Structures are given as structure tokens and as C-alpha cells.
Amino acid sequence: MRNDRRPKMKGRVSRIGSYAIASSMKDHPHQPCITCTTFNILAPIYKRLSHKDKNGRESDYRTYWLARNQRILDSLLYERSSIICLQEFWVGNEELVNMYEKRLGDAGYLNFKLGRTNNRGDGLLTAVHKDYLRVINYRELHFNDCGDRVAQLLHVELATPASQRRNNDPCQEILIVNTHLLFPHDSSLCIVRLYQVYKILQYVESYQKEYNLNPLPIMLCGDWNGSKRGHVYKFLRSQGFVSSYDTAHRYTDADAHKWVSHLNHRGNICGVDFIWLLNPNSYRKLLKTSWTEAVFGMFKNQLRKASLTEDDAFAFLKADSDGYYITYSGFCEALRQFNIIGHRHGLSVEETEDLWVQADIDGNGVVDYKEFQRIWKPTWSEPRDGDGDGDGKEGRDRGHKGDEKHSRKEQAIGFSVKNAVLFPPEVEKGMWPENYFLSDHARLTVVFSPIQMPCSQLTS
């Protein structure tokens, strides 16, 4: 029975990879598809062999980890994605590293590995297939925080043969990020995770400014250790990013239960693995504005968990103030009570003062009720269901009126989401199969097709 099932699963996976690329090149020779795979492969130093023996790890048994990683490589090479982003790659084991680099290298991939800081043993591996992409630049980002997390940034260009490129075609470039965010072991780490995403977006923004890049698509790949209900998800959505898997399946932001991708160490199943896409025509807020709103959103969520109404929340923040306003000290005390500041992983004094400046709109040193309402009931709108659907339609009619003429002139290459598959297939129905042992994460692969689109503008 098992032998009959395996080829069907394998064939299903292959059709999302090299088959999609080949068929697209045949139908649209000027716009070949590319595929991107993200996969947390569960480092042997973390994989427990038994629930009873919590100290026994796969890393102690070469036969086990070698066989499992050979199977992982078999599946990746059979799928043959243009871009492969792996997390929990065991950089501390030379034999495993050499095995991945040789097999991927022999198959035509350029490999970039990055270990977590403080010699944590695991890290990231990003592989780019030379047949489909040319690497322009590679950068590394170290968060230097309590999780010793890192990220990779690759600036690549589609390797379209010169004979197939038309004279007026803009360069088909992409920025790709691979990362693995901190797990939220307790509430004090929520702000750390949010800040890790902020650092990534800041780094990407500074890279674009450093090289004076025109707007180009950005793909953020990895294990985000948070679901569609979390603050990280909402923060990325506020910046115009869309979840490519949800786009392919026409799921909304509210469809958090439709699929899963991880069986975590607590025995819970959740959807945490994403390939985020930001197209050049997406309508974006200023990054600092989104960051401020995200932190205030976390703060507001904590107040609501305490069952505080708007008036109660204002009274709580006002504390012992003599007037009908919130003082800076009262503001800081509230942030401290909700684990946003006051511990070694929280916001710094400078970051807290910056938040206060955003809250104190008129700059008179206090926040009155009207200013507080801006935090409680912000005028900015969250992404609507269906916004940013990856088909090149989002953002076209939402720029500033004064920029409409300019936007029509500025053209860029973006990506349409053609398909997306999670493997094993049971996870697409919100279930975790008992007979899946490759990892405690599902593998996500997305097919993208380049399309021309007008550039959008940042909001003020």
C-alpha cells in the first residue's frame, strides 16, 4: 500500500515545480514562471526521537539524521524549484553541510548558508538555481537579540536568455529574504518578534536606497513562528505584503483555520510558514508609521484582554494624573505592565520616546482624550479582504491623485501568484498526518509569473 502511494505524492509535488516552469516557458516564452520553496527541515539537534526521552536527539544517531536529510534532498531536487529557502539547517555538522552543498551544487544551484549567532548550531540555507536566476548581490542580517536569529537577503535577476528578451523589457529583478523568527515562548517575546520583522523591512529599505533601486518585487520566505491571527502577520499586511499561499487559494485574512504547516513542540498544529509577496504596485504606508501602529496595536490588544472599554483604558493610562490627560510616566508604566518595555528584550528608552512622540500629536507633553482615540480607533485602514491578491490589480487605483499621471508612466515587473502547494497534502485541510516524518513543518512551494505593472506610491 505504501509503495503505491509514494509515487502519487511525489508526482503531485513535481507538477508544482519544474513542470510549471517548463509549461510556462512554452506558453509564454518572454515571461517564464519561477518557483519558490520554503521549508523548515528540523535540525537533528532539535529533533527528539522519543516523547519519553526528552534528552535523546536525532543528532546522536548518524544513520537516522543522514537518511532523513537524504530524503529531504531527494524531494527538493525532484521538485527543482528556482529558489529554495531552508530553515533549521544544521550548519554545525560538516558532513551534512557538505552533502547539501554537493547535491544542490551538482543540480545547478548556488548555495548561501548562514548560521545563527553565538554558535547555536543551526541556521539558514538559500539555494538559487542558475538556470532561472542570476545572483546580483548577497547580504546577511544579524538581529543580535535574545533569539540569536538571522536573515539572508538575495538580490537576483531572472536569467532570461538575451534572444527572448525584448528591447523595452525592464530588468526582472527580485529581492528575496530567508529568515526564521523567534518562537513566542511567553508574552515578553511578542515585541521581540515584531521588532525582528521591523529590522528586516528596515534593512531591505536601506538596501534599496543604497543601490538606488527602482521599485521591484520582494519575497519574504521562512518560518515566521506566528499565525494569521498574530501581530507579525498584521504588520506585514499593513506594509502591503500578501501571503502567496492564501492568494493562490483565495483565502482571506480571516481564514486562519483553513491550513496548517507546523506541529510544534507543544503538540499544537498551526500555520506559520509563509512566502510573502510585495509587488511594486502595492499601496504602502511609510515603514515607521506601520511600526508605530503595530506596537500600539499590541498595546491595545493587551488592554482589550483586560476587558477594558475605551473609557476604562484611558482612565487606566491616565492613572494618577491630575488632569484629563495621559502623562509620559503613566504611558511608560502601562507599557511596562504589558511587557513592552522594562525587560532586556523590550523596547529601548529611545524607541519608547519615539512612540510617545507619535502619540503626542500636538507636542504639548501630554496625550489628551482626542489623541488617545487615535490609538484606540486609528484612522488608518487595515488591508481589506481581497486587497493585494497578487494578480497585478492591487494598488492601481489607490495612489495619490497628483501622482496618477506619473504612475502610469512608471512601469515595473511584478509577480502574479499562479499556484501554491503545501506538502504533505493533508495540511491543506488543516490536519497533520501521522505518517509524515520528514520534519515537523510542511514544505510550501509557490509558482510566480512575471507581469508588467505600474508603480505605486508610499502613503504620507
Side-chain angles (χ1 to χ4, degrees), residues 229-378:
R229 298 184 180 94
H231 296 288
V232 165
Y233 181 92
K234 293 175 182 176
F235 180 37
L236 285 167
R237 290 290 282 122
S238 75
Q239 273 290 289
F241 285 90
V242 297
S243 161
S244 53
Y245 182 82
D246 291 299
T247 297
H249 294 271
R250 300 187 180 277
Y251 292 150
T252 69
D253 289 341
D255 291 326
H257 62 287
K258 298 286 187 179
W259 56 274
V260 297
S261 68
H262 179 37
L263 175 66
N264 68 26
H265 62 281
R266 295 173 178 171
N268 301 320
I269 55 174
C270 43
V272 301
D273 299 271
F274 292 88
I275 296 177
W276 291 94
L277 172 66
L278 179 70
N279 268 325
N281 67 342
S282 294
Y283 187 50
R284 298 175 61 192
K285 296 176 192 159
L286 292 174
L287 179 56
K288 193 170 186 178
T289 301
S290 277
W291 161 248
T292 301
E293 291 168 353
V295 178
F296 282 150
M298 182 179 292
F299 182 51
K300 177 181 172 182
N301 186 57
Q302 295 286 1
L303 292 170
R304 280 185 166 169
K305 280 184 178 179
S307 300
L308 297 181
T309 65
E310 180 179 334
D311 290 340
D312 291 338
F314 184 76
F316 170 75
L317 291 169
K318 189 173 75 71
D320 297 329
S321 171
D322 295 332
Y324 198 61
Y325 50 74
I326 302 166
T327 63
Y328 180 66
S329 60
F331 179 73
C332 290
E333 179 56 32
L335 294 179
R336 187 173 294 106
Q337 288 191 40
F338 290 130
N339 273 327
I340 295 176
I341 66 170
H343 55 91
R344 63 193 182 99
H345 310 316
L347 297 182
S348 67
V349 173
E350 294 77 15
E351 290 158 353
T352 305
E353 290 174 348
D354 193 41
L355 276 181
W356 175 254
V357 169
Q358 302 296 318
D360 180 17
I361 300 170
D362 58 16
N364 67 347
V366 295
V367 172
D368 59 29
Y369 191 76
K370 186 176 180 180
E371 290 170 321
F372 165 75
Q373 283 184 309
R374 181 176 176 269
I375 302 173
W376 193 258
K377 295 179 180 178

Side-chain angles (χ1 to χ4, degrees), residues 125-139:
L125 174 70
T126 302
V128 177
H129 203 290
K130 292 180 284 188
D131 285 355
Y132 306 110
L133 298 162
R134 182 179 68 87
V135 177
I136 298 172
N137 205 350
Y138 169 72
R139 293 285 186 88

Side-chain angles (χ1 to χ4, degrees), residues 2 34 74 81 105 117 128 147 154 158-159 189 208 218 346 356 361:
R2 289 183 180 177
I34 62 166
D74 288 344
S81 284
T117 49
V128 177
L154 276 79
L158 266 64
L189 299 178
Q208 290 175 292
I218 301 168
W356 175 254
I361 300 170

Side-chain angles (χ1 to χ4, degrees), residues 215-218 240-242 277-284 389-394 413-417 451 453-454 456:
L216 69 167
I218 301 168
F241 285 90
V242 297
L277 172 66
L278 179 70
N279 268 325
N281 67 342
S282 294
Y283 187 50
R284 298 175 61 192
D389 57 4
D391 63 0
K393 296 176 184 177
E394 74 275 17
I413 290 291
F415 284 97
S416 174
V417 178
I451 53 173
M453 57 181 60
S456 182

